[in-house]
Amino acid sequence: AAGTVPRRRPPRSDMGRGLTLLLLPLALLAAPARTEGGTAAAEEVKIEVLHLPETCSPKSKKGDLLNAHYDGFLASDGSKFYCSRTQNEGHPKWFVLGVGQVIKGLDIAMMNMCPGEKRKVTIPPSLAYGQQGYAEGKIPPNATLIFEIELYAVNKGPRSVEAFNQIDKDGDKKLSELEISQYLKEEFARDGKKRHPSAHDEILADIFKRNDHDRDGFISAKEYNVYQHDEL
Protein backbone atom coordinates (compact mmCIF):
# COMPACT_ATOMS: atom_id res chain seq x y z
CA ALA A 1 0.00 0.00 0.00
CA ALA A 2 1.22 3.47 -0.74
CA GLY A 3 2.77 5.14 2.26
CA THR A 4 3.49 1.98 4.19
CA VAL A 5 6.47 2.06 6.49
CA PRO A 6 7.99 -0.94 8.28
CA ARG A 7 6.37 -2.12 11.49
CA ARG A 8 3.30 -0.98 13.35
CA ARG A 9 4.73 -0.93 16.84
CA PRO A 10 7.95 0.66 18.12
CA PRO A 11 10.92 -1.67 18.56
CA ARG A 12 11.65 -2.83 22.08
CA SER A 13 15.41 -2.70 21.70
CA ASP A 14 17.99 -0.48 20.02
CA MET A 15 18.06 -3.03 17.25
CA GLY A 16 14.73 -1.67 16.11
CA ARG A 17 13.57 -4.99 14.66
CA GLY A 18 17.01 -5.36 13.15
CA LEU A 19 17.43 -7.26 9.95
CA THR A 20 13.75 -7.93 9.40
CA LEU A 21 12.98 -4.22 9.23
CA LEU A 22 15.69 -3.73 6.66
CA LEU A 23 14.06 -6.18 4.31
CA LEU A 24 10.68 -4.45 4.21
CA PRO A 25 10.68 -1.90 1.36
CA LEU A 26 8.84 1.38 1.55
CA ALA A 27 6.43 2.31 -1.23
CA LEU A 28 5.55 6.00 -1.17
CA LEU A 29 8.53 8.16 -0.20
CA ALA A 30 11.07 5.57 -1.28
CA ALA A 31 11.12 5.79 -5.07
CA PRO A 32 14.57 6.81 -6.34
CA ALA A 33 14.79 10.21 -7.93
CA ARG A 34 16.24 10.39 -11.42
CA THR A 35 18.27 13.52 -11.73
CA GLU A 36 18.66 15.11 -15.13
CA GLY A 37 21.59 17.18 -16.27
CA GLY A 38 23.18 17.41 -12.85
CA THR A 39 20.38 19.57 -11.47
CA ALA A 40 20.68 17.96 -8.03
CA ALA A 41 23.97 19.72 -7.45
CA ALA A 42 22.36 23.11 -8.00
CA GLU A 43 19.28 22.41 -5.89
CA GLU A 44 19.04 21.82 -2.20
CA VAL A 45 16.57 21.09 0.55
CA LYS A 46 15.22 24.14 2.35
CA ILE A 47 14.71 23.59 6.07
CA GLU A 48 12.61 25.73 8.38
CA VAL A 49 12.67 24.79 12.08
CA LEU A 50 9.17 25.28 13.49
CA HIS A 51 9.91 24.08 17.01
CA LEU A 52 13.15 23.20 18.77
CA PRO A 53 12.96 21.67 22.27
CA GLU A 54 15.20 23.01 25.02
CA THR A 55 16.97 19.66 25.26
CA CYS A 56 18.17 18.62 21.83
CA SER A 57 19.76 15.22 22.26
CA PRO A 58 20.49 12.91 20.63
CA LYS A 59 20.69 14.48 17.18
CA SER A 60 19.84 12.19 14.29
CA LYS A 61 22.59 10.83 12.05
CA LYS A 62 22.92 8.33 9.22
CA GLY A 63 21.88 4.86 10.30
CA ASP A 64 19.68 5.96 13.19
CA LEU A 65 16.17 4.55 13.52
CA LEU A 66 13.71 7.45 13.58
CA ASN A 67 10.09 7.62 14.64
CA ALA A 68 8.15 10.51 13.12
CA HIS A 69 4.90 11.83 11.78
CA TYR A 70 4.92 13.77 8.54
CA ASP A 71 2.49 15.35 6.10
CA GLY A 72 3.38 15.84 2.44
CA PHE A 73 2.10 18.65 0.21
CA LEU A 74 2.58 19.68 -3.40
CA ALA A 75 4.27 23.09 -3.49
CA SER A 76 2.41 23.99 -6.67
CA ASP A 77 -1.08 24.12 -5.15
CA GLY A 78 -0.69 23.13 -1.50
CA SER A 79 -2.67 19.92 -1.90
CA LYS A 80 -1.87 17.14 0.55
CA PHE A 81 -0.70 13.88 -1.01
CA TYR A 82 0.38 12.05 2.14
CA CYS A 83 -0.48 12.01 5.85
CA SER A 84 1.19 9.51 8.14
CA ARG A 85 -1.54 9.96 10.74
CA THR A 86 -4.07 8.34 8.41
CA GLN A 87 -1.79 5.40 7.62
CA ASN A 88 -1.09 2.30 9.71
CA GLU A 89 -3.76 3.11 12.33
CA GLY A 90 -2.21 6.53 12.86
CA HIS A 91 1.06 5.27 14.35
CA PRO A 92 4.20 7.35 13.74
CA LYS A 93 6.49 5.89 11.09
CA TRP A 94 9.76 4.09 11.76
CA PHE A 95 12.57 4.20 9.22
CA VAL A 96 16.35 4.16 9.07
CA LEU A 97 17.84 7.54 8.16
CA GLY A 98 20.25 8.05 5.29
CA VAL A 99 19.99 4.64 3.66
CA GLY A 100 17.36 5.23 0.97
CA GLN A 101 14.26 4.04 2.82
CA VAL A 102 12.75 7.45 2.06
CA ILE A 103 13.41 9.88 -0.78
CA LYS A 104 16.80 11.56 -0.86
CA GLY A 105 15.37 14.92 0.16
CA LEU A 106 13.92 13.51 3.40
CA ASP A 107 17.17 11.71 4.19
CA ILE A 108 18.85 15.12 3.95
CA ALA A 109 16.09 17.09 5.68
CA MET A 110 16.01 14.93 8.81
CA MET A 111 19.74 14.89 9.57
CA ASN A 112 20.82 16.54 12.86
CA MET A 113 17.23 16.61 14.09
CA CYS A 114 16.36 16.00 17.74
CA PRO A 115 13.39 14.32 19.43
CA GLY A 116 10.51 16.77 19.75
CA GLU A 117 11.72 18.96 16.90
CA LYS A 118 9.34 20.08 14.16
CA ARG A 119 10.47 21.10 10.70
CA LYS A 120 8.94 22.33 7.47
CA VAL A 121 11.09 21.29 4.54
CA THR A 122 10.94 22.03 0.82
CA ILE A 123 12.38 19.40 -1.48
CA PRO A 124 13.13 20.03 -5.17
CA PRO A 125 12.14 17.43 -7.80
CA SER A 126 15.74 16.28 -8.23
CA LEU A 127 15.77 15.09 -4.61
CA ALA A 128 12.24 13.69 -4.73
CA TYR A 129 10.61 11.93 -7.71
CA GLY A 130 12.24 13.84 -10.55
CA GLN A 131 10.88 14.07 -14.06
CA GLN A 132 9.03 10.77 -13.82
CA GLY A 133 6.91 11.74 -10.80
CA TYR A 134 5.09 9.03 -8.85
CA ALA A 135 1.60 8.44 -10.20
CA GLU A 136 0.60 5.94 -7.51
CA GLY A 137 1.35 8.53 -4.86
CA LYS A 138 -0.43 11.30 -6.82
CA ILE A 139 2.84 13.15 -7.36
CA PRO A 140 3.16 14.70 -10.84
CA PRO A 141 6.43 15.00 -12.80
CA ASN A 142 8.87 17.73 -11.73
CA ALA A 143 7.03 18.30 -8.45
CA THR A 144 8.53 20.31 -5.61
CA LEU A 145 7.38 18.78 -2.32
CA ILE A 146 6.80 20.28 1.12
CA PHE A 147 6.83 18.14 4.26
CA GLU A 148 5.85 19.07 7.79
CA ILE A 149 7.73 16.71 10.09
CA GLU A 150 7.50 16.02 13.81
CA LEU A 151 10.24 13.75 15.15
CA TYR A 152 9.46 11.65 18.21
CA ALA A 153 12.44 9.35 18.76
CA VAL A 154 16.02 8.79 17.67
CA ASN A 155 17.33 5.28 18.34
CA LYS A 156 20.40 3.36 17.30
CA GLY A 157 19.62 1.81 13.95
CA PRO A 158 19.28 -1.87 13.13
CA ARG A 159 22.74 -1.96 11.58
CA SER A 160 24.54 -0.34 14.46
CA VAL A 161 27.58 -1.91 16.09
CA GLU A 162 25.44 -2.70 19.11
CA ALA A 163 22.94 -4.61 16.97
CA PHE A 164 25.69 -6.57 15.22
CA ASN A 165 27.31 -7.54 18.50
CA GLN A 166 24.00 -8.57 20.01
CA ILE A 167 23.31 -10.96 17.12
CA ASP A 168 26.92 -12.19 17.03
CA LYS A 169 26.64 -14.49 20.05
CA ASP A 170 30.07 -16.14 19.65
CA GLY A 171 31.88 -12.88 19.00
CA ASP A 172 33.63 -14.03 15.82
CA LYS A 173 32.69 -10.83 13.95
CA LYS A 174 30.45 -12.61 11.47
CA LEU A 175 26.82 -13.66 11.61
CA SER A 176 25.99 -17.30 11.05
CA GLU A 177 22.70 -18.76 9.92
CA LEU A 178 22.15 -20.14 13.42
CA GLU A 179 22.78 -16.74 15.06
CA ILE A 180 20.37 -14.92 12.77
CA SER A 181 17.82 -17.71 13.09
CA GLN A 182 17.91 -17.34 16.87
CA TYR A 183 17.64 -13.57 16.57
CA LEU A 184 14.55 -13.89 14.36
CA LYS A 185 12.93 -16.25 16.87
CA GLU A 186 13.54 -13.76 19.67
CA GLU A 187 12.13 -10.85 17.66
CA PHE A 188 9.07 -12.86 16.63
CA ALA A 189 8.46 -13.78 20.27
CA ARG A 190 8.70 -10.12 21.29
CA ASP A 191 6.12 -8.77 18.89
CA GLY A 192 3.72 -11.67 19.42
CA LYS A 193 2.28 -11.56 15.91
CA LYS A 194 0.87 -14.71 14.38
CA ARG A 195 2.92 -15.91 11.42
CA HIS A 196 2.84 -18.93 9.17
CA PRO A 197 5.51 -21.46 10.24
CA SER A 198 7.30 -20.93 6.92
CA ALA A 199 7.78 -17.19 7.55
CA HIS A 200 10.92 -17.74 9.65
CA ASP A 201 12.67 -19.80 6.97
CA GLU A 202 11.62 -17.44 4.18
CA ILE A 203 12.94 -14.35 5.98
CA LEU A 204 16.16 -16.12 6.95
CA ALA A 205 16.76 -17.19 3.34
CA ASP A 206 16.02 -13.68 2.09
CA ILE A 207 18.44 -12.13 4.58
CA PHE A 208 21.29 -14.29 3.31
CA LYS A 209 20.30 -13.81 -0.33
CA ARG A 210 20.45 -10.03 0.08
CA ASN A 211 23.42 -9.73 2.43
CA ASP A 212 25.77 -12.71 2.01
CA HIS A 213 27.45 -11.31 -1.09
CA ASP A 214 30.36 -13.78 -1.21
CA ARG A 215 28.02 -16.71 -0.51
CA ASP A 216 30.24 -18.16 2.23
CA GLY A 217 27.32 -18.82 4.56
CA PHE A 218 28.13 -15.91 6.87
CA ILE A 219 27.33 -12.20 6.92
CA SER A 220 30.50 -10.29 7.70
CA ALA A 221 30.65 -6.86 9.31
CA LYS A 222 31.36 -5.38 5.88
CA GLU A 223 28.40 -7.19 4.31
CA TYR A 224 26.23 -6.16 7.25
CA ASN A 225 27.27 -2.60 6.39
CA VAL A 226 27.50 -1.00 9.81
CA TYR A 227 26.53 2.64 9.31
CA GLN A 228 28.21 4.11 12.35
CA HIS A 229 31.92 4.94 12.46
CA ASP A 230 32.58 2.75 15.48
CA GLU A 231 34.95 -0.16 14.96
CA LEU A 232 33.81 -3.70 15.57
Side-chain angles (χ1 to χ4, degrees):
T4 55
V5 177
R7 297 295 176 186
R8 288 192 171 191
R9 292 186 293 180
R12 301 183 186 181
S13 70
D14 281 345
M15 238 183 292
R17 299 290 181 222
L19 292 165
T20 52
L21 179 145
L22 293 171
L23 299 178
L24 299 176
L26 303 183
L28 182 62
L29 308 181
R34 297 175 188 169
T35 58
E36 303 291 341
T39 55
E43 297 182 311
E44 60 183 21
V45 176
K46 296 179 182 178
I47 299 173
E48 178 185 354
V49 177
L50 302 178
H51 173 73
L52 188 66
E54 291 184 9
T55 301
C56 186
S57 179
K59 288 190 175 183
S60 59
K61 61 184 181 301
K62 182 178 179 181
D64 282 343
L65 184 68
L66 306 188
N67 183 233
H69 265 315
Y70 39 85
D71 295 329
F73 306 86
L74 297 179
S76 59
D77 60 7
S79 62
K80 182 182 291 188
F81 64 84
Y82 182 78
C83 176
S84 62
R85 290 174 175 83
T86 62
Q87 299 282 335
N88 196 22
E89 298 181 355
H91 296 303
K93 306 308 176 186
W94 290 97
F95 62 93
V96 180
L97 182 65
V99 301
Q101 288 193 343
V102 291
I103 56 174
K104 181 66 173 177
L106 278 177
D107 270 340
I108 295 170
M110 296 185 71
M111 289 286 183
N112 298 311
M113 197 171 178
C114 53
E117 184 174 345
K118 297 179 182 179
R119 290 181 177 180
K120 179 179 180 180
V121 302
T122 303
I123 300 174
S126 60
L127 297 175
Y129 296 93
Q131 293 188 1
Q132 79 275 19
Y134 186 51
E136 186 178 349
K138 299 180 180 179
I139 299 172
N142 300 311
T144 296
L145 308 180
I146 296 173
F147 285 92
E148 293 182 357
I149 306 164
E150 182 174 5
L151 182 61
Y152 293 104
V154 177
N155 292 336
K156 292 184 184 299
R159 293 202 177 192
S160 66
V161 172
E162 290 83 358
F164 186 96
N165 289 337
Q166 188 171 347
I167 301 171
D168 183 23
K169 301 291 188 184
D170 61 10
D172 64 355
K173 307 306 178 189
K174 57 185 179 181
L175 307 181
S176 68
E177 185 172 324
L178 180 61
E179 287 171 331
I180 295 179
S181 175
Q182 182 60 35
Y183 161 73
L184 288 176
K185 290 178 181 177
E186 292 170 356
E187 287 296 293
F188 287 174
R190 284 191 186 99
D191 70 25
K193 291 182 179 179
K194 292 182 180 180
R195 291 180 174 85
H196 190 275
S198 65
H200 174 276
D201 292 341
E202 290 173 358
I203 293 174
L204 184 63
D206 199 30
I207 287 171
F208 274 86
K209 180 180 179 180
R210 293 171 182 260
N211 295 275
D212 182 18
H213 304 303
D214 61 9
R215 298 294 183 254
D216 67 348
F218 295 91
I219 297 175
S220 66
K222 183 177 181 180
E223 289 171 327
Y224 186 76
N225 188 21
V226 171
Y227 297 130
Q228 298 183 13
H229 297 299
D230 304 328
E231 293 296 328
L232 284 164

